[in-house]
């Protein structure tokens, strides 16, 4: 509890804002998938908001972030414009990627969100490479890369950790361990119970934290980021969390017991943080209410912006193939 | 001979049927892949684990490279693994084991080792899955001696070719086009419907132009042929079914009759299968050609996400009609 009560009102407000924004954004995304305004394969991370919100809250604007296929949350937490993000998901010309990328391939370069990936594990080595450049810049920038527990069994994961360690690069590996890769639990993928122990193998300092406790996530991230900024090399954060929805929007997720989902609903990171905020009187009830209302308004405005943006025209297909 | 029993199946169900039948027939056949024991994302392996157990229907972690190698190692000891690569886009991660190990072990061992491996995967731009979940990469593998490449267009062929692929003693890349998964067709039962690799099917006879079409382009070519017939152009539509071995004879015979050839695939036209077929066909039938061989494929760009762009990206019947009309004027 110590970490939570250390939060000041301003920080609490910022964290709450980010978490509400991510939650409401992804709920709106889910609706727009239902009405076919958003096509394709869309993965939401409802229930995992504390991971992106907590970790990215200690980043600077000139730091960089890479995501996985479930990448709306870190993009938002890094400061991506909601309207351009939503427009991209809707395949519109006003989207960040001009309608060419979509949900798994978000790039918001202006805020340092460098890329999600459709290929599991695909952004891990990219993050290491960007960290190489950050090290050479000498400005104390860091790179943070998000990936799921499923990615930890990929060859590139291990090769990337080793390189980051060997070259002492300022990269923080953030494992969103939500217990499942698609339709199977982590226990069906590995005998390794603590994925953070892979970091130990590669001599990278690591922490396993309650990923639904935004204060704890922020605290652990702050330490790793400080080390990396100071030239102390990479860090690894395993955040234990749960996706409350299916693997992709539309997945009925029948492979999980309802009781299990119910248990995790009780640990909803947003509700938990609201309790912390109230218990420690970090914000007034009016302030809390205003945060939610404003997030709702911003998300709705984003949806309207997105839907007002025209689809790309056919002649756009062949642009951007080469620089 | 009694008429073979038939039933109406979707392409996906035909795949499942072939896997079931071959697993029942030969205890060496096993299936490996992500979530295959729970049916996989499209349900192609549904019911297999219940019937054959999880020692033969093996769920794997997201470790495409190692899994491909594991399958090769099992194959050289007599298993007949069917590896599922969920999207052909991810085959890149298993390329080393497939290209450098699987394809070459028989050769490099002077024939001592065999790799009776099937790699099942799916491809194609539908549903806005975007650039890393939509590619058609079949042409890459035509460049790798030691690998066979199969692309069925109908449920009957999906079953018949998969059965043949599983019985083949070589690595076979079996590419399913996602857009065909829910298409239906009559499928034979028992041994009757086995389709040997390397035999094309003439889907529609014609006199004026030969259209060689791959996978989902077969139905587009057939509907184009219907429209062209109204203009008095008679198109012969050939489905090669397997790309290596390629049934050049059927294609060349057709070209000798029609004097014109168009090859259509969804994959990017540049460097695609069309180039190889054109090369082989002109060598076999140069003196019979009345016009340059043409090809139709996707533009030279990654697959766009936006539905509007995706729709425009994939070749269709209208584009085939237009290309044939042009070809007839040449
Ligand atoms: C290389 C590769 N293999 C398989 C897939 C199909 N796939 C998409 S998401 C996923 C599960 C990923 O699980 P995890 O890394 O734990 O992330 P989560 O979905 O839980 O966020 C799989 C297997 C893929 N996208 N890329």
């Amino acid at each position: 509890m110590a970490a939570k009560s250390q939060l000041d009102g301003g920080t609490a407000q910022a964290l709450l804002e980010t978490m509400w924004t991510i939650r409401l954004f992804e709920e709106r995304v889910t609706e727009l998938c239902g009405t076919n305004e958003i096509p394709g394969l869309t993965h939401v991370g409802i229930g995992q908001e504390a991971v992106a919100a907590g970790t990215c809250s200690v980043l600077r604007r000139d730091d960089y972030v890479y995501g996985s296929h479930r990448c709306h949350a870190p993009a938002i937490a890094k400061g991506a414009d909601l309207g351009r993000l939503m427009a991209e998901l809707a395949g519109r010309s006003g989207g960040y990627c001009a309608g060419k990328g979509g949900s798994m391939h978000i790039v918001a370069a202006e805020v340092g969100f460098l890329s999600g990936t459709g290929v599991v594990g695909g952004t891990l080595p990219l993050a290491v490479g960007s960290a190489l450049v950050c090290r050479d810049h000498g400005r104390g920038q860091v790179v943070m890369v998000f990936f799921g527990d499923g990615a930890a069994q990929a060859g590139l994961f291990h090769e990337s950790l080793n390189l980051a360690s060997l070259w002492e690069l300022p990269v923080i590996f953030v494992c969103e361990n939500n217990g499942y890769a698609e339709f199977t639990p982590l226990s069906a993928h590995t005998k390794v119970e603590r994925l953070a122990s892979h970091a130990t193998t590669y001599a990278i300092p690591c922490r396993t934290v309650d990923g639904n406790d935004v204060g704890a996530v922020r605290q652990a991230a702050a330490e790793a980021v400080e080390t990396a900024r100071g030239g102390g090399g990479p860090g690894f954060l395993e955040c234990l969390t749960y996706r409350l929805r299916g693997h992709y929007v539309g997945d009925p997720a029948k492979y999980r017991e309802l009781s299990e989902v119910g248990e995790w609903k009780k640990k909803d990171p947003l509700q938990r943080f609201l309790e912390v905020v109230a218990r420690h009187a970090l914000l007034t009830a009016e302030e809390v209410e205003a945060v939610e209302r404003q997030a709702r308004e911003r998300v709705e405005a984003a949806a309207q912006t997105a839907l007002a943006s025209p689809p790309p025209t056919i002649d756009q297909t062949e642009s951007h193939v080469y620089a | 001979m009694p008429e073979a029993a038939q039933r109406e199946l979707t392409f996906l169900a035909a795949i499942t049927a072939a896997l079931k039948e071959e697993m029942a027939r030969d205890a060496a056949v096993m299936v490996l892949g992500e979530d295959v024991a729970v049916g996989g994302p499209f349900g192609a392996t549904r019911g297999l684990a219940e019937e054959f157990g999880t020692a033969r229907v093996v769920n794997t972690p997201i470790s495409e490279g190692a899994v491909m190698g594991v399958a090769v190692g099992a194959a050289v000891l007599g298993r007949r693994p069917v590896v599922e690569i969920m999207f052909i886009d991810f085959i890149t991660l298993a390329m080393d084991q497939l290209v450098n190990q699987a394809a070459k072990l028989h050769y490099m061992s002077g024939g001592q080792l065999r790799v009776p491996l099937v790699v099942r995967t799916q491809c194609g731009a539908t549903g806005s899955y975007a650039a890393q979940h939509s590619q058609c990469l079949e042409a890459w593998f035509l460049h790798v001696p030691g690998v066979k490449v199969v692309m069925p267009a109908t449920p009957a062929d999906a079953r018949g070719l998969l059965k043949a692929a599983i019985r083949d003693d070589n690595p076979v890349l079996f590419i399913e086009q996602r857009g065909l998964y829910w298409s239906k067709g009559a499928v034979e039962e028992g041994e009757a419907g086995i389709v040997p690799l390397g035999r094309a099917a003439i889907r529609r006879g014609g006199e004026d132009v030969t259209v060689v079409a791959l996978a989902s382009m077969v139905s587009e070519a057939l509907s184009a042929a219907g429209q062209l017939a109204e203009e008095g152009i008679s198109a012969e539509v050939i489905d090669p079914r397997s790309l290596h071995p390629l049934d050049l004879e059927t294609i060349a015979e057709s070209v000798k009759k029609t004097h014109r050839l168009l090859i259509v695939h969804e994959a990017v036209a540049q460097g695609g299968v069309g180039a190889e077929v054109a090369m082989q066909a002109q060598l076999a039938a140069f003196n019979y050609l009345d016009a340059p061989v043409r090809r139709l494929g996707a533009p030279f760009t990654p697959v766009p996400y936006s539905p509007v762009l995706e729709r425009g990206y994939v070749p269709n019947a209208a584009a085939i009609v237009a290309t044939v009309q042009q070809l007839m004027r040449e």
Side-chain angles (χ1 to χ4, degrees):
Chain A
M1 289 291 125
K4 288 172 196 160
S5 49
Q6 277 166 16
L7 292 176
D8 56 59
T11 308
Q13 173 152 358
L15 289 171
L16 195 58
E17 253 168 38
T18 309
M19 286 172 76
W20 264 124
T21 305
I22 297 170
R23 170 72 51 98
L24 295 168
F25 184 89
E26 294 211 304
E27 279 179 347
R28 195 73 176 93
V29 165
T30 305
E31 280 169 24
L32 292 173
C33 288
T35 56
N36 287 327
E37 291 290 356
I38 292 180
L41 272 178
T42 308
H43 308 85
V44 297
I46 288 172
Q48 305 183 196
E49 296 87 349
V51 179
T55 52
C56 291
S57 72
V58 298
L59 294 182
R60 306 192 311 221
R61 197 176 164 90
D62 66 345
D63 291 329
Y64 296 105
V65 170
Y66 284 96
S68 67
H69 52 288
R70 206 176 296 286
C71 68
H72 312 150
I76 291 170
K78 190 65 178 61
D81 177 81
L82 299 181
R84 293 183 70 192
L85 187 58
M86 193 72 95
E88 185 56 37
L89 301 189
R92 304 303 175 102
S93 58
Y96 264 117
C97 313
K100 285 177 167 165
S103 169
M104 294 186 282
H105 309 291
I106 297 301
V107 175
E110 61 179 8
V111 295
F113 186 82
L114 289 182
S115 179
T117 175
V119 184
V120 168
T123 41
L124 286 156
L126 304 189
V128 175
S130 296
L132 189 93
V133 177
C134 288
R135 180 195 64 187
D136 293 349
H137 280 165
R139 298 196 285 262
Q141 292 160 290
V142 303
V143 181
M144 201 171 254
V145 57
F146 294 82
F147 54 96
D149 43 285
Q153 284 65 249
L156 281 174
F157 166 84
H158 293 269
E159 297 176 30
S160 300
L161 258 62
N162 186 57
L163 282 179
S165 163
L166 183 67
W167 295 336
E168 298 171 18
L169 299 177
V171 54
I172 292 102
F173 297 95
V174 181
C175 179
E176 297 194 66
N177 184 348
N178 61 15
Y180 284 83
E182 283 196 347
F183 321 130
T184 38
L186 180 61
S187 58
H189 287 245
T190 183
K191 296 265 192 209
V192 177
E193 273 179 37
R194 277 289 54 78
L195 296 178
S197 64
H198 290 308
T200 307
T201 301
Y202 296 105
I204 297 175
C206 61
R207 288 275 301 278
T208 299
V209 296
D210 177 349
N212 282 15
D213 177 343
V214 72
V217 171
R218 179 182 151 89
Q219 178 73 30
E223 288 162 19
V225 166
E226 195 183 311
T227 304
R229 279 204 209 291
F236 190 104
L237 218 60
E238 181 187 17
C239 301
L240 303 179
T241 182
Y242 195 81
R243 61 170 157 73
L244 292 172
R245 304 283 173 87
H247 170 58
Y248 52 86
V249 177
D251 168 19
K254 292 205 180 113
Y255 44 87
R256 307 190 301 195
E257 295 295 333
L258 280 178
S259 57
E260 179 185 292
V261 182
E263 279 310 304
W264 278 95
K265 270 195 182 137
K266 291 184 207 150
K267 298 186 237 173
D268 181 327
L270 191 48
Q271 292 311 320
R272 276 175 67 185
F273 191 50
L274 284 169
E275 283 158 28
V276 170
V277 167
R279 189 170 348 112
H280 296 278
L282 297 172
L283 299 171
T284 65
E286 293 72 42
E287 285 167 331
V288 167
E289 194 263 329
V291 167
E292 180 187 343
R293 192 184 59 245
Q294 284 159 13
R296 212 172 274 286
E297 286 163 7
R298 279 202 310 278
V299 167
E300 194 43 44
Q304 294 316 320
T305 305
L307 297 181
S309 170
T313 49
I314 264 310
D315 58 303
Q316 288 302 305
T317 300
E318 305 209 17
S319 62
H320 304 126
V321 179
Y322 294 98
Chain B
M1 230 172 62
E3 220 179 288
Q6 288 201 343
R7 53 195 165 139
E8 179 100 343
L9 290 184
T10 63
F11 192 107
L12 259 177
I15 296 285
T16 315
L19 290 170
K20 263 196 185 155
E21 291 162 20
E22 292 306 299
M23 290 189 83
R25 176 182 171 270
D26 183 351
V29 179
M30 63 187 295
V31 170
L32 298 101
E34 290 151 23
D35 283 332
V36 289
V38 291
F42 303 101
T45 54
R46 195 167 288 152
L48 296 182
E50 289 78 354
E51 194 166 337
F52 302 105
T54 49
R56 289 179 67 195
V57 184
V58 184
N59 262 1
T60 73
I62 309 170
S63 308
E64 284 84 1
V67 170
M68 186 69 79
V70 164
V72 175
V76 297
L77 293 186
R79 292 294 176 84
R80 293 187 171 273
V82 180
V83 170
E84 178 173 307
I85 298 289
M86 201 183 286
F87 286 76
I88 199 171
D89 312 70
F90 316 151
I91 210 166
T92 50
L93 293 159
M95 215 54 173
D96 171 58
Q97 294 295 316
L98 180 56
V99 171
N100 288 324
Q101 306 294 352
K104 296 177 175 51
L105 280 176
H106 185 64
Y107 186 81
M108 293 192 302
S109 68
Q112 295 174 79
L113 301 180
R114 279 161 202 262
V115 186
L117 164 74
V118 175
V119 180
R120 275 189 53 242
T121 187
Q122 54 87 27
C123 75
T126 63
S128 280
Y129 282 21
Q132 295 175 340
H133 282 76
S134 301
Q135 298 169 84
C136 290
L137 300 175
E138 66 275 2
W140 290 0
F141 301 91
L142 282 196
H143 202 60
V144 181
V147 178
K148 297 185 178 180
V149 185
V150 177
M151 269 183 106
T154 65
D157 282 355
R159 173 177 173 276
L161 288 165
L162 184 52
K163 287 169 77 80
I166 291 172
R167 297 180 193 190
D168 197 287
D169 276 342
N170 299 282
V172 180
L173 180 62
F174 191 90
I175 306 175
E176 301 155 16
Q177 203 144 14
R178 185 168 67 249
L180 295 174
Y181 269 172
W182 296 275
S183 63
K184 285 190 178 160
V187 174
E188 276 170 315
E189 288 187 6
E191 295 292 296
I194 295 190
V195 180
L197 308 190
R199 266 197 228 153
I202 299 174
R203 299 292 181 197
R204 176 185 173 121
E207 303 298 325
D208 301 329
V209 59
T210 302
V211 180
V212 172
L214 270 52
S216 61
M217 289 300 118
V218 171
S219 63
E220 295 296 325
L222 287 172
S223 95
Q227 294 172 45
L228 289 162
E230 290 167 20
E231 308 173 14
I233 300 171
S234 160
E236 179 147 302
V237 177
I238 297 180
D239 169 5
R241 306 199 280 196
S242 89
L243 307 178
H244 186 93
L246 179 71
D247 182 356
L248 180 62
E249 209 180 303
T250 298
I251 297 169
E253 281 314 305
S254 173
V255 172
K256 286 176 185 172
K257 175 176 66 175
T258 64
H259 311 296
R260 285 181 165 78
L261 174 61
L262 166 67
I263 304 117
V264 190
H265 46 65
E266 182 185 317
V268 166
Q270 178 169 319
V273 170
E276 182 59 31
V277 173
M279 178 63 202
Q280 294 194 27
Q282 64 89 18
L283 268 181
F286 181 73
N287 287 331
Y288 296 85
L289 283 169
D290 284 348
V293 178
R294 288 198 161 264
R295 64 179 174 186
L296 184 63
F300 195 59
T301 84
V303 180
Y305 166 73
S306 181
V308 188
L309 300 188
E310 188 188 65
R311 265 196 299 282
Y313 179 88
V314 180
N316 57 16
I320 297 171
V321 167
T323 312
V324 167
Q325 286 167 338
Q326 199 177 348
L327 188 54
M328 295 312 294
R329 286 194 294 270
E330 280 171 342

